[in-house]
Amino acid sequence: MDDLQFRRQAYGDPNNQSDEFLTHLAEHEDDAKFIKDLKAFDHKLMQALNISVPDDLADKLILRQQLSQHQQSKKHTRYMMAVAASVAFIVGVSFSLLRFTPVNLSENSLAHVHHETKALIMEQDIGFNDVNFKLASVDGLSDSKFIKQPGRVFFTSYCDFQGVKSLHLVMADENGNKVTLFIVPIEKRIVLEEAFADNQYKGQSFQTADAYMVLVGEPASNLEFVKKEVENTFI
Amino acid sequence: MFDSLRKKKSEPAVLSEMLTKQRRYDSLVRALHTDIFRYAFWLCGDKHVAEDITQETFLRAWRSLDSLNDDKAAKAWLITILRRENARRFERKQFNYSDVEQDLLEDVLSTSHEEDTEQYWLRRQIGKLDIEYREPLLLQLIGGFSGDEIAAILELNRNTVMTRLFRARNQLKDALEAPEVRGQSNG
């Protein structure tokens, strides 16, 4: 190792532990002394570099991290709260909108009949006691009932007129034409039309003491007949 | 409502994971904050700025602590973050280099006036050293890194690092042995 190379290595790292470097030191006494001086110089440098560190720095670092952690989780909770509030708000608004929009009974009845085509295929024979049983659980109709069988009842189920629970029956006129009857509890926002029709069905409605009755049938059916039947059996 | 639902999933597991991470961070801070602060100081030359950079460094380290796989590499990892933070400081506002030097001189003066004048003088010389020579020296002396490790951190090749270390020591030694410079700075 020539002198220049040695100096470069020594200045680069006085604590060089490579064999070549150590051998050179063992062989050259002057250079060994030079390295000793360099190490002493390094020691001075180290001391100069070791400036005092604020005592509470470690605590500050941990505090800062925990604060940011806390803020993050708080932000998260706030976010979740905001989401929950928005959902509640939407639910509230849509619920009240549903409740206060007027319900056009005839349109809804026709839509129901069109929608529930399977109701008109059913060939059950339901006793009026079963129908009464269902009526009892409809709000506002719990006191109403059939006092006797209103002809054959082919099908019965609950249905919903924009939030108003009602009863859906399928009956027949004297010729066996199926007629759908909706029994809807009386409510302010319901709009009643006495007679209505679309290109497939006709309908009429009337009011009893506690309920609106809506009859829907094919143009050939005798709605008057069913209406009489209902008027005679339903109180 | 959602919180309770979310927490039900695996609270104990999450909690213990959090605790481990916290403990890891605590020991990282205790073991390395001195070196990191000193490194930051010699990088920027101002104690308050150094403290800010150290704070930012450790906060960033906390956020990405999961990416630190090997705890032995923690120091080099932190120094890499610190150097990036320091560079970001210059992106944020344009510092005047000569101002920074001035800050350094002032600050060292105020903190070390009771100390040995030679050490005070040496500190000024280190502060005056070009950053490209100063940084490898800091990494070697404060960080205790080998030439190869310094080369990796600074993204230089090893020969360049050794040359810069050589020049750094050479300049400091020259300055120490040149009395007229010394007289100037003391006067």
Side-chain angles (χ1 to χ4, degrees):
Chain A
M1 187 185 284
D2 65 37
D3 195 54
L4 183 67
Q5 208 184 350
F6 167 76
R7 284 196 166 250
R8 279 183 66 90
Q9 288 205 11
Y11 270 82
D13 182 7
N15 298 306
N16 194 335
Q17 296 296 313
S18 72
D19 288 342
E20 211 184 351
F21 191 75
L22 294 176
T23 330
H24 183 91
L25 285 188
E27 288 166 4
H28 302 76
E29 218 171 286
D30 287 356
D31 286 344
K33 179 164 181 310
F34 170 69
I35 286 295
K36 218 179 131 195
D37 287 350
L38 256 188
K39 280 186 181 170
F41 180 59
D42 254 28
H43 183 69
K44 273 189 212 159
L45 280 179
M46 281 287 273
Q47 284 194 321
L49 288 173
N50 284 350
I51 49 149
S52 59
V53 176
D55 290 336
D56 51 354
L57 185 61
D59 295 327
K60 272 191 200 161
L61 291 172
I62 290 168
L63 177 71
R64 175 92 186 268
Q65 166 258 320
Q66 287 186 337
L67 283 179
S68 100
Q69 171 98 340
H70 182 68
Q71 263 173 350
Q72 254 174 350
S73 69
K74 250 174 83 180
K75 241 186 249 167
H76 199 85
T77 349
R78 227 180 293 150
Y79 173 74
M80 295 306 281
M81 287 297 284
V83 169
S86 320
V87 168
F89 179 73
I90 301 276
V91 166
V93 165
S94 49
F95 187 71
S96 55
L97 277 180
L98 264 181
R99 281 200 70 115
F100 295 116
T101 41
V103 182
N104 185 325
L105 209 52
S106 38
E107 266 178 30
N108 271 286
S109 306
L110 284 170
H112 263 86
V113 175
H114 280 295
H115 183 69
E116 286 211 61
T117 44
K118 78 167 199 290
L120 292 169
I121 309 168
M122 290 293 191
E123 294 289 342
Q124 292 165 304
D125 191 356
I126 298 164
F128 73 99
N129 281 322
D130 290 340
V131 178
N132 285 342
F133 182 75
K134 288 207 163 180
L135 269 176
S137 70
V138 177
D139 284 342
L141 292 178
S142 47
D143 293 332
S144 309
K145 61 179 190 282
F146 288 94
I147 46 170
K148 60 181 186 186
Q149 187 70 24
R152 183 172 168 182
V153 177
F154 293 89
F155 171 80
T156 170
S157 81
Y158 296 113
C159 63
D160 184 279
F161 281 86
Q162 290 193 11
V164 184
K165 191 181 180 187
S166 321
L167 205 62
H168 180 169
L169 301 176
V170 176
M171 298 159 68
D173 66 0
E174 77 270 33
N175 301 319
N177 292 319
K178 283 191 181 170
V179 173
T180 306
L181 167 68
F182 293 103
I183 306 175
V184 185
I186 286 179
E187 206 174 297
K188 272 184 201 152
R189 61 199 177 97
I190 283 176
V191 181
L192 200 64
E193 285 175 285
E194 271 192 16
F196 54 91
D198 66 3
N199 48 19
Q200 203 179 345
Y201 296 105
K202 64 173 183 178
Q204 57 173 290
S205 40
F206 59 99
Q207 197 174 344
T208 68
D210 296 322
Y212 298 117
M213 296 291 186
V214 184
L215 292 162
V216 179
E218 284 170 6
S221 60
N222 186 351
L223 295 183
E224 278 302 320
F225 175 86
V226 183
K227 180 181 172 184
K228 287 261 158 52
E229 192 121 294
V230 172
E231 276 173 341
N232 290 335
T233 55
F234 186 80
I235 56 164
Chain B
M1 173 176 74
F2 293 131
D3 273 6
S4 62
L5 246 162
R6 197 159 44 85
K7 276 182 188 158
K8 222 181 278 175
K9 258 191 275 169
S10 58
E11 194 164 7
V14 170
L15 212 64
S16 82
E17 206 175 291
M18 287 293 292
L19 267 175
T20 320
K21 192 180 172 188
Q22 184 69 54
R23 234 174 267 144
R24 209 169 159 214
Y25 178 78
D26 285 7
S27 41
L28 204 65
V29 168
R30 304 232 176 266
L32 297 173
H33 79 279
T34 312
D35 285 347
I36 293 299
F37 175 77
R38 283 182 179 149
Y39 193 89
F41 173 79
W42 287 111
L43 216 53
C44 70
D46 181 279
K47 282 207 168 181
H48 299 289
V49 178
E51 201 171 320
D52 283 352
I53 300 177
T54 311
Q55 292 272 14
E56 286 306 317
T57 302
F58 274 98
L59 205 58
R60 214 163 272 271
W62 161 259
R63 287 189 192 127
S64 50
L65 196 58
D66 296 330
S67 71
L68 175 68
N69 297 320
D70 182 7
D71 280 359
K72 277 181 216 150
K75 200 189 231 177
W77 181 66
L78 281 172
I79 283 180
T80 309
I81 300 176
L82 182 141
R83 295 184 71 237
R84 218 177 297 142
E85 280 305 317
N86 187 51
R88 197 165 283 143
R89 189 168 63 94
F90 285 102
E91 278 168 26
R92 274 201 300 267
K93 59 179 175 187
Q94 288 296 315
F95 265 84
N96 191 334
Y97 268 92
S98 65
D99 278 359
V100 173
E101 297 303 322
Q102 216 55 41
D103 282 351
L104 171 75
L105 300 183
E106 298 262 314
D107 201 63
V108 169
L109 181 72
S110 66
T111 52
S112 63
H113 63 103
E114 281 175 15
E115 290 173 30
D116 174 15
T117 47
E118 189 185 53
Q119 193 178 75
Y120 160 62
W121 184 83
L122 205 51
R123 285 184 174 172
R124 287 186 66 161
Q125 296 308 316
I126 297 173
K128 276 186 189 167
L129 215 56
D130 260 2
I131 187 74
E132 58 175 16
Y133 299 134
R134 203 193 317 156
E135 224 179 344
L137 193 67
L138 296 179
L139 285 169
Q140 191 178 54
L141 292 178
I142 296 180
F145 292 111
S146 73
D148 287 322
E149 287 165 332
I150 297 170
I153 292 170
L154 298 181
E155 292 170 349
L156 298 169
N157 76 45
R158 189 177 181 278
N159 279 337
T160 313
V161 169
M162 294 321 279
T163 308
R164 288 187 185 181
L165 282 169
F166 167 79
R167 290 202 184 137
R169 278 204 179 78
N170 209 12
Q171 280 184 22
L172 287 174
K173 246 182 135 44
D174 278 355
L176 195 65
E177 282 153 14
E180 72 275 18
V181 177
R182 186 170 192 173
Q184 233 172 40
S185 50
N186 279 346

mmCIF file of all heavy atoms in Angstrom, chain A residues 136-165:
data_model
loop_
_atom_site.group_PDB
_atom_site.id
_atom_site.type_symbol
_atom_site.label_atom_id
_atom_site.label_comp_id
_atom_site.label_asym_id
_atom_site.label_seq_id
_atom_site.Cartn_x
_atom_site.Cartn_y
_atom_site.Cartn_z
ATOM 1 N N ALA A 136 -108.800 -8.327 11.078
ATOM 2 C CA ALA A 136 -108.590 -7.888 12.457
ATOM 3 C C ALA A 136 -107.200 -7.289 12.658
ATOM 4 O O ALA A 136 -107.000 -6.438 13.526
ATOM 5 C CB ALA A 136 -108.805 -9.061 13.405
ATOM 6 N N SER A 137 -106.280 -7.719 11.829
ATOM 7 C CA SER A 137 -104.919 -7.213 12.056
ATOM 8 C C SER A 137 -104.594 -6.000 11.187
ATOM 9 O O SER A 137 -103.477 -5.513 11.201
ATOM 10 C CB SER A 137 -103.895 -8.321 11.825
ATOM 11 O OG SER A 137 -103.847 -8.617 10.461
ATOM 12 N N VAL A 138 -105.562 -5.506 10.419
ATOM 13 C CA VAL A 138 -105.333 -4.288 9.651
ATOM 14 C C VAL A 138 -105.733 -3.086 10.505
ATOM 15 O O VAL A 138 -106.838 -3.038 11.031
ATOM 16 C CB VAL A 138 -106.146 -4.306 8.335
ATOM 17 C CG1 VAL A 138 -105.963 -2.999 7.584
ATOM 18 C CG2 VAL A 138 -105.737 -5.477 7.475
ATOM 19 N N ASP A 139 -104.823 -2.134 10.654
ATOM 20 C CA ASP A 139 -105.096 -0.949 11.473
ATOM 21 C C ASP A 139 -106.346 -0.250 10.959
ATOM 22 O O ASP A 139 -106.460 0.021 9.756
ATOM 23 C CB ASP A 139 -103.920 0.036 11.372
ATOM 24 C CG ASP A 139 -102.755 -0.447 12.204
ATOM 25 O OD1 ASP A 139 -102.968 -1.313 13.084
ATOM 26 O OD2 ASP A 139 -101.618 0.031 11.961
ATOM 27 N N GLY A 140 -107.248 0.061 11.842
ATOM 28 C CA GLY A 140 -108.444 0.808 11.456
ATOM 29 C C GLY A 140 -109.572 -0.079 10.972
ATOM 30 O O GLY A 140 -110.675 0.403 10.761
ATOM 31 N N LEU A 141 -109.294 -1.353 10.804
ATOM 32 C CA LEU A 141 -110.361 -2.257 10.363
ATOM 33 C C LEU A 141 -110.618 -3.353 11.390
ATOM 34 O O LEU A 141 -111.322 -4.320 11.105
ATOM 35 C CB LEU A 141 -109.990 -2.901 9.026
ATOM 36 C CG LEU A 141 -109.943 -1.981 7.806
ATOM 37 C CD1 LEU A 141 -109.522 -2.761 6.570
ATOM 38 C CD2 LEU A 141 -111.288 -1.310 7.575
ATOM 39 N N SER A 142 -110.022 -3.207 12.555
ATOM 40 C CA SER A 142 -110.108 -4.290 13.531
ATOM 41 C C SER A 142 -111.563 -4.535 13.988
ATOM 42 O O SER A 142 -111.878 -5.612 14.477
ATOM 43 C CB SER A 142 -109.201 -4.003 14.722
ATOM 44 O OG SER A 142 -109.385 -2.677 15.148
ATOM 45 N N ASP A 143 -112.410 -3.501 13.845
ATOM 46 C CA ASP A 143 -113.800 -3.692 14.274
ATOM 47 C C ASP A 143 -114.707 -4.163 13.130
ATOM 48 O O ASP A 143 -115.868 -4.477 13.338
ATOM 49 C CB ASP A 143 -114.368 -2.379 14.837
ATOM 50 C CG ASP A 143 -113.658 -1.998 16.121
ATOM 51 O OD1 ASP A 143 -113.176 -2.939 16.802
ATOM 52 O OD2 ASP A 143 -113.550 -0.802 16.411
ATOM 53 N N SER A 144 -114.169 -4.174 11.911
ATOM 54 C CA SER A 144 -115.000 -4.543 10.773
ATOM 55 C C SER A 144 -114.931 -6.045 10.543
ATOM 56 O O SER A 144 -113.912 -6.681 10.825
ATOM 57 C CB SER A 144 -114.515 -3.830 9.513
ATOM 58 O OG SER A 144 -114.387 -2.455 9.769
ATOM 59 N N LYS A 145 -116.000 -6.559 10.036
ATOM 60 C CA LYS A 145 -115.948 -7.993 9.691
ATOM 61 C C LYS A 145 -117.074 -8.343 8.720
ATOM 62 O O LYS A 145 -118.012 -7.580 8.493
ATOM 63 C CB LYS A 145 -116.050 -8.851 10.949
ATOM 64 C CG LYS A 145 -117.320 -8.699 11.775
ATOM 65 C CD LYS A 145 -117.247 -9.655 12.964
ATOM 66 C CE LYS A 145 -118.566 -9.772 13.735
ATOM 67 N NZ LYS A 145 -118.830 -8.638 14.630
ATOM 68 N N PHE A 146 -116.939 -9.527 8.111
ATOM 69 C CA PHE A 146 -118.033 -10.096 7.313
ATOM 70 C C PHE A 146 -118.920 -10.893 8.254
ATOM 71 O O PHE A 146 -118.408 -11.662 9.069
ATOM 72 C CB PHE A 146 -117.463 -11.008 6.216
ATOM 73 C CG PHE A 146 -116.776 -10.262 5.104
ATOM 74 C CD1 PHE A 146 -115.410 -10.047 5.124
ATOM 75 C CD2 PHE A 146 -117.523 -9.775 4.038
ATOM 76 C CE1 PHE A 146 -114.781 -9.367 4.100
ATOM 77 C CE2 PHE A 146 -116.900 -9.098 3.002
ATOM 78 C CZ PHE A 146 -115.540 -8.880 3.035
ATOM 79 N N ILE A 147 -120.214 -10.704 8.148
ATOM 80 C CA ILE A 147 -121.082 -11.470 9.039
ATOM 81 C C ILE A 147 -121.488 -12.801 8.414
ATOM 82 O O ILE A 147 -121.944 -13.704 9.085
ATOM 83 C CB ILE A 147 -122.348 -10.670 9.440
ATOM 84 C CG1 ILE A 147 -122.957 -10.019 8.201
ATOM 85 C CG2 ILE A 147 -122.006 -9.634 10.505
ATOM 86 C CD1 ILE A 147 -124.321 -9.433 8.455
ATOM 87 N N LYS A 148 -121.333 -12.902 7.107
ATOM 88 C CA LYS A 148 -121.507 -14.220 6.480
ATOM 89 C C LYS A 148 -120.667 -14.286 5.209
ATOM 90 O O LYS A 148 -120.065 -13.291 4.818
ATOM 91 C CB LYS A 148 -122.973 -14.507 6.191
ATOM 92 C CG LYS A 148 -123.621 -13.507 5.261
ATOM 93 C CD LYS A 148 -125.077 -13.869 5.050
ATOM 94 C CE LYS A 148 -125.660 -12.940 3.994
ATOM 95 N NZ LYS A 148 -127.050 -13.046 3.773
ATOM 96 N N GLN A 149 -120.621 -15.459 4.624
ATOM 97 C CA GLN A 149 -119.772 -15.664 3.451
ATOM 98 C C GLN A 149 -120.244 -14.800 2.272
ATOM 99 O O GLN A 149 -121.389 -14.928 1.830
ATOM 100 C CB GLN A 149 -119.816 -17.152 3.060
ATOM 101 C CG GLN A 149 -118.863 -17.537 1.964
ATOM 102 C CD GLN A 149 -117.401 -17.498 2.411
ATOM 103 O OE1 GLN A 149 -117.123 -17.615 3.601
ATOM 104 N NE2 GLN A 149 -116.482 -17.311 1.481
ATOM 105 N N PRO A 150 -119.378 -13.911 1.720
ATOM 106 C CA PRO A 150 -119.782 -13.067 0.591
ATOM 107 C C PRO A 150 -119.522 -13.737 -0.756
ATOM 108 O O PRO A 150 -118.765 -13.227 -1.564
ATOM 109 C CB PRO A 150 -118.879 -11.841 0.755
ATOM 110 C CG PRO A 150 -117.644 -12.397 1.406
ATOM 111 C CD PRO A 150 -118.015 -13.632 2.161
ATOM 112 N N GLY A 151 -120.110 -14.888 -0.970
ATOM 113 C CA GLY A 151 -119.788 -15.639 -2.187
ATOM 114 C C GLY A 151 -118.433 -16.308 -2.006
ATOM 115 O O GLY A 151 -117.832 -16.248 -0.930
ATOM 116 N N ARG A 152 -117.957 -16.888 -3.097
ATOM 117 C CA ARG A 152 -116.676 -17.604 -2.950
ATOM 118 C C ARG A 152 -115.524 -16.588 -2.915
ATOM 119 O O ARG A 152 -115.481 -15.647 -3.714
ATOM 120 C CB ARG A 152 -116.494 -18.566 -4.121
ATOM 121 C CG ARG A 152 -115.214 -19.377 -3.986
ATOM 122 C CD ARG A 152 -115.143 -20.460 -5.051
ATOM 123 N NE ARG A 152 -113.794 -21.022 -5.068
ATOM 124 C CZ ARG A 152 -113.402 -21.955 -5.920
ATOM 125 N NH1 ARG A 152 -114.250 -22.418 -6.842
ATOM 126 N NH2 ARG A 152 -112.174 -22.428 -5.862
ATOM 127 N N VAL A 153 -114.573 -16.808 -2.015
ATOM 128 C CA VAL A 153 -113.359 -15.973 -1.960
ATOM 129 C C VAL A 153 -112.200 -16.841 -2.454
ATOM 130 O O VAL A 153 -111.875 -17.845 -1.835
ATOM 131 C CB VAL A 153 -113.084 -15.451 -0.535
ATOM 132 C CG1 VAL A 153 -111.782 -14.667 -0.504
ATOM 133 C CG2 VAL A 153 -114.239 -14.593 -0.061
ATOM 134 N N PHE A 154 -111.648 -16.431 -3.594
ATOM 135 C CA PHE A 154 -110.607 -17.258 -4.225
ATOM 136 C C PHE A 154 -109.220 -17.025 -3.642
ATOM 137 O O PHE A 154 -108.389 -17.901 -3.652
ATOM 138 C CB PHE A 154 -110.545 -16.958 -5.733
ATOM 139 C CG PHE A 154 -111.760 -17.381 -6.470
ATOM 140 C CD1 PHE A 154 -112.839 -16.524 -6.616
ATOM 141 C CD2 PHE A 154 -111.851 -18.672 -7.004
ATOM 142 C CE1 PHE A 154 -113.973 -16.929 -7.293
ATOM 143 C CE2 PHE A 154 -112.985 -19.064 -7.692
ATOM 144 C CZ PHE A 154 -114.065 -18.194 -7.841
ATOM 145 N N PHE A 155 -109.022 -15.814 -3.140
ATOM 146 C CA PHE A 155 -107.648 -15.460 -2.754
ATOM 147 C C PHE A 155 -107.713 -14.301 -1.764
ATOM 148 O O PHE A 155 -108.577 -13.447 -1.843
ATOM 149 C CB PHE A 155 -106.865 -15.022 -4.002
ATOM 150 C CG PHE A 155 -105.505 -14.440 -3.718
ATOM 151 C CD1 PHE A 155 -104.419 -15.272 -3.459
ATOM 152 C CD2 PHE A 155 -105.313 -13.061 -3.688
ATOM 153 C CE1 PHE A 155 -103.176 -14.726 -3.206
ATOM 154 C CE2 PHE A 155 -104.071 -12.524 -3.421
ATOM 155 C CZ PHE A 155 -102.989 -13.367 -3.178
ATOM 156 N N THR A 156 -106.823 -14.318 -0.822
ATOM 157 C CA THR A 156 -106.742 -13.170 0.079
ATOM 158 C C THR A 156 -105.304 -12.937 0.517
ATOM 159 O O THR A 156 -104.550 -13.889 0.728
ATOM 160 C CB THR A 156 -107.651 -13.344 1.305
ATOM 161 O OG1 THR A 156 -107.358 -12.324 2.236
ATOM 162 C CG2 THR A 156 -107.433 -14.676 1.988
ATOM 163 N N SER A 157 -104.940 -11.676 0.609
ATOM 164 C CA SER A 157 -103.608 -11.369 1.153
ATOM 165 C C SER A 157 -103.596 -9.905 1.580
ATOM 166 O O SER A 157 -104.526 -9.160 1.276
ATOM 167 C CB SER A 157 -102.517 -11.618 0.110
ATOM 168 O OG SER A 157 -102.443 -10.518 -0.750
ATOM 169 N N TYR A 158 -102.557 -9.536 2.303
ATOM 170 C CA TYR A 158 -102.415 -8.126 2.653
ATOM 171 C C TYR A 158 -101.768 -7.417 1.485
ATOM 172 O O TYR A 158 -101.036 -8.016 0.707
ATOM 173 C CB TYR A 158 -101.512 -7.958 3.878
ATOM 174 C CG TYR A 158 -102.088 -8.591 5.110
ATOM 175 C CD1 TYR A 158 -101.480 -9.694 5.702
ATOM 176 C CD2 TYR A 158 -103.256 -8.059 5.693
ATOM 177 C CE1 TYR A 158 -102.006 -10.272 6.826
ATOM 178 C CE2 TYR A 158 -103.789 -8.650 6.825
ATOM 179 C CZ TYR A 158 -103.170 -9.756 7.391
ATOM 180 O OH TYR A 158 -103.686 -10.325 8.492
ATOM 181 N N CYS A 159 -102.040 -6.137 1.348
ATOM 182 C CA CYS A 159 -101.262 -5.380 0.384
ATOM 183 C C CYS A 159 -101.039 -3.974 0.920
ATOM 184 O O CYS A 159 -101.591 -3.599 1.946
ATOM 185 C CB CYS A 159 -101.926 -5.361 -0.984
ATOM 186 S SG CYS A 159 -103.507 -4.567 -0.977
ATOM 187 N N ASP A 160 -100.243 -3.235 0.221
ATOM 188 C CA ASP A 160 -99.778 -1.970 0.760
ATOM 189 C C ASP A 160 -100.073 -0.848 -0.228
ATOM 190 O O ASP A 160 -99.565 -0.855 -1.346
ATOM 191 C CB ASP A 160 -98.265 -2.083 1.004
ATOM 192 C CG ASP A 160 -97.717 -0.852 1.656
ATOM 193 O OD1 ASP A 160 -97.476 0.143 0.927
ATOM 194 O OD2 ASP A 160 -97.535 -0.872 2.883
ATOM 195 N N PHE A 161 -100.909 0.101 0.167
ATOM 196 C CA PHE A 161 -101.169 1.274 -0.673
ATOM 197 C C PHE A 161 -100.309 2.423 -0.180
ATOM 198 O O PHE A 161 -100.751 3.236 0.616
ATOM 199 C CB PHE A 161 -102.660 1.651 -0.623
ATOM 200 C CG PHE A 161 -103.515 0.785 -1.484
ATOM 201 C CD1 PHE A 161 -104.024 -0.419 -1.002
ATOM 202 C CD2 PHE A 161 -103.802 1.147 -2.785
ATOM 203 C CE1 PHE A 161 -104.795 -1.232 -1.795
ATOM 204 C CE2 PHE A 161 -104.582 0.331 -3.582
ATOM 205 C CZ PHE A 161 -105.080 -0.869 -3.097
ATOM 206 N N GLN A 162 -99.089 2.466 -0.629
ATOM 207 C CA GLN A 162 -98.123 3.491 -0.217
ATOM 208 C C GLN A 162 -98.151 3.712 1.292
ATOM 209 O O GLN A 162 -98.372 4.812 1.770
ATOM 210 C CB GLN A 162 -98.383 4.785 -0.979
ATOM 211 C CG GLN A 162 -98.007 4.617 -2.440
ATOM 212 C CD GLN A 162 -97.947 5.941 -3.174
ATOM 213 O OE1 GLN A 162 -97.995 6.981 -2.546
ATOM 214 N NE2 GLN A 162 -97.823 5.881 -4.473
ATOM 215 N N GLY A 163 -97.942 2.661 1.990
ATOM 216 C CA GLY A 163 -97.834 2.775 3.437
ATOM 217 C C GLY A 163 -99.117 2.455 4.174
ATOM 218 O O GLY A 163 -99.111 2.368 5.398
ATOM 219 N N VAL A 164 -100.239 2.301 3.464
ATOM 220 C CA VAL A 164 -101.481 1.940 4.141
ATOM 221 C C VAL A 164 -101.722 0.446 3.942
ATOM 222 O O VAL A 164 -101.864 -0.034 2.821
ATOM 223 C CB VAL A 164 -102.678 2.740 3.561
ATOM 224 C CG1 VAL A 164 -103.940 2.437 4.342
ATOM 225 C CG2 VAL A 164 -102.375 4.211 3.559
ATOM 226 N N LYS A 165 -101.731 -0.265 5.063
ATOM 227 C CA LYS A 165 -101.923 -1.709 4.961
ATOM 228 C C LYS A 165 -103.400 -2.000 4.670
ATOM 229 O O LYS A 165 -104.287 -1.432 5.319
ATOM 230 C CB LYS A 165 -101.508 -2.344 6.290
ATOM 231 C CG LYS A 165 -101.397 -3.849 6.239
ATOM 232 C CD LYS A 165 -101.017 -4.386 7.609
ATOM 233 C CE LYS A 165 -100.909 -5.900 7.580
ATOM 234 N NZ LYS A 165 -100.697 -6.426 8.943
#
